[in-house]
Amino acid sequence: MPSTELPFVPPATVLPKVAPVRVGEGERLRSVRLPGITLTVRSRPPAREGLPPALYVHGLGGSSQNWSALMEQLEADVDGEAVDLPGFGDSPPPDDGNYSITAHARAVIRLLDASGRGPVHLFGNSLGGAVSTRVAAVRPDLVRTLTLVSPALPELRVQRTAVPTGLLALPGVAGLFTRYSKDWTAEQRVRGVTALCYGDPGRVSPEGFQHAVEEMERRLQLPYFWDAMTRSARGLVNAYTLGGQHALWRQAERVLAPTLLVYGGRDQLVGFRMAQKAARTFRDSRLLTLPEAGHVAMMEYPETVAGAFREFAADKGAAGTSGGSVGGSDRRHRSAGAPGDGADAASASGDGADTTIPGS
């Protein structure tokens, strides 16, 4: 689709001032200028020197804040950073207006190359899962392990609850939705997103909900908000139609890094049935299913996801400072939804209650 279909977005230098992005306790933000893009990176000081680096990539409509809970859980295990993809969070739009999966992957690669932090433990959720899969396939030297939470990989039978997100990619739909929803409050929008993305919206604390409302109010002031959403949704749908070596499932087959797959049984955007296909496709994979979780398990059950990653990295010899040697096939499948297991413990402890707007 030609880029002229959507309104022109002014350069970041002339964009209006909006409220600052929230920075959680113990977090830091920095801006990284790269060719054609400027990225905001959120980080937490590692618990000690020499920890292996990690990078977290959010989903459609999300931001680096989606990873705050998991980053805190893993601060003693990795030196973690979370990126705001171009046009999301606190990152301005890309200079060329390109929001394709390839462009987002290129942004991640440029960040890793510029920082010299690779190979990293790479985490991706939803759209960020598709982006991270492409990064791992084309630049295996940058990825130590891959952790995918409900990755947005092509499905033949899309769930009905995911159709509205896909329709956003069609020309004119974003404009229609904007006019239809112009009277919706930020609170109404957040409740809708939370109901769509969480297995149990009740896990969001009142404080976390208020933070999400404030973030939504901030985003709605950005003139490029819907443009970034629409073009990224279109980029994801277009990626689903690609064949040959560029097909996402074909690229998943090429991933060399050990891969931890996390799927939620109440996910309304990525079919739970895709978990087994993913486990068969990624050559060195381990599958964790969380029957009570929705689309953003790292926000609902950060303690459980962190524990699974910790065990996975240790088994693969990828924990600690050196990364170690990895290889072989790991097809184990663990479900954490039974009473008394990690999911139950996470629920009882209130993990993930202080959250912001999830992405899809």
Side-chain angles (χ1 to χ4, degrees):
M1 298 290 180
S3 60
T4 52
E5 287 184 2
L6 292 168
F8 170 74
V9 177
T13 53
V14 297
L15 291 175
K17 295 285 187 180
V18 297
V21 169
R22 179 175 177 273
V23 182
E25 184 177 353
E27 295 183 339
R28 299 178 297 195
L29 288 184
R30 78 177 195 278
S31 183
V32 181
R33 297 183 183 277
L34 299 167
I37 52 173
T38 298
L39 301 175
T40 296
V41 177
R42 182 180 303 267
S43 62
R44 295 186 67 88
R48 63 181 187 279
E49 293 295 323
L51 291 176
L55 183 68
Y56 304 86
V57 186
H58 63 80
L60 180 65
S63 75
S64 58
Q65 295 182 67
N66 291 24
W67 296 101
S68 290
L70 186 63
M71 286 176 66
E72 184 175 5
Q73 288 288 330
L74 290 176
E75 64 182 352
D77 303 279
V78 298
D79 182 357
E81 294 185 344
V83 62
D84 286 330
L85 292 173
F88 294 94
D90 203 35
S91 293
D95 290 353
D96 60 3
N98 188 345
Y99 290 96
S100 66
I101 295 295
T102 297
H104 283 315
R106 188 182 303 123
V108 172
I109 289 170
R110 285 177 180 172
L111 175 64
L112 290 174
D113 278 339
S115 68
R117 281 167 52 86
V120 299
H121 293 293
L122 185 60
F123 293 74
N125 169 234
S126 194
L127 167 71
V131 170
S132 298
T133 297
R134 181 152 292 177
V135 171
V138 302
R139 287 293 304 273
D141 58 304
L142 294 177
V143 182
R144 182 183 305 234
T145 67
L146 182 63
T147 298
L148 303 177
V149 182
S150 297
L153 299 174
E155 300 183 44
L156 290 177
R157 292 181 297 134
V158 178
Q159 298 182 100
R160 284 180 297 176
T161 46
V163 169
T165 302
L167 289 177
L168 187 62
L170 297 178
V173 171
L176 288 172
F177 181 76
T178 301
R179 290 192 292 273
Y180 173 75
S181 63
K182 62 183 177 65
D183 295 327
W184 293 5
T185 66
E187 180 175 331
Q188 287 174 315
R189 295 173 190 271
V190 171
R191 288 196 187 282
V193 173
T194 303
L196 181 65
C197 292
Y198 278 73
D200 177 11
R203 293 183 62 78
V204 182
S205 70
E207 181 184 21
F209 183 81
Q210 184 57 39
H211 289 157
V213 170
E214 292 168 0
E215 173 65 7
M216 178 63 78
E217 291 172 341
R218 186 193 71 83
R219 292 186 189 185
L220 291 172
Q221 296 178 50
L222 299 171
Y224 57 83
F225 172 74
W226 284 111
D227 186 71
M229 285 282 290
T230 301
R231 291 187 190 277
S232 291
R234 184 173 301 170
L236 184 60
V237 171
N238 287 344
Y240 281 14
T241 66
L242 293 177
Q245 294 302 312
H246 297 290
L248 283 170
W249 283 114
R250 181 70 62 85
Q251 292 194 318
E253 293 174 347
R254 292 166 49 193
V255 170
L256 300 177
T259 303
L260 175 62
L261 301 163
V262 182
Y263 282 81
R266 294 183 176 180
D267 195 331
Q268 299 181 67
L269 292 165
V270 169
F272 187 62
R273 62 183 178 277
M274 301 306 294
Q276 293 298 333
K277 177 177 174 63
R280 292 191 302 268
T281 302
F282 287 89
R283 65 177 70 190
D284 185 5
S285 66
R286 182 177 300 182
L287 174 61
L288 170 66
T289 58
L290 298 170
E292 301 302 313
H295 190 60
V296 286
M298 75 288 186
M299 298 174 74
E300 285 194 271
Y301 298 104
E303 185 178 84
T304 304
V305 175
F309 168 77
R310 212 172 281 123
E311 177 185 330
F312 169 73
D315 288 351
K316 290 298 176 182
T321 58
S322 65
S325 170
V326 295
S329 179
D330 181 355
R331 299 294 184 184
R332 278 185 283 177
H333 170 207
R334 183 163 67 90
S335 173
D341 65 8
D344 233 24
S347 178
S349 66
D351 280 337
D354 186 5
T355 57
T356 186
I357 303 169
S360 60

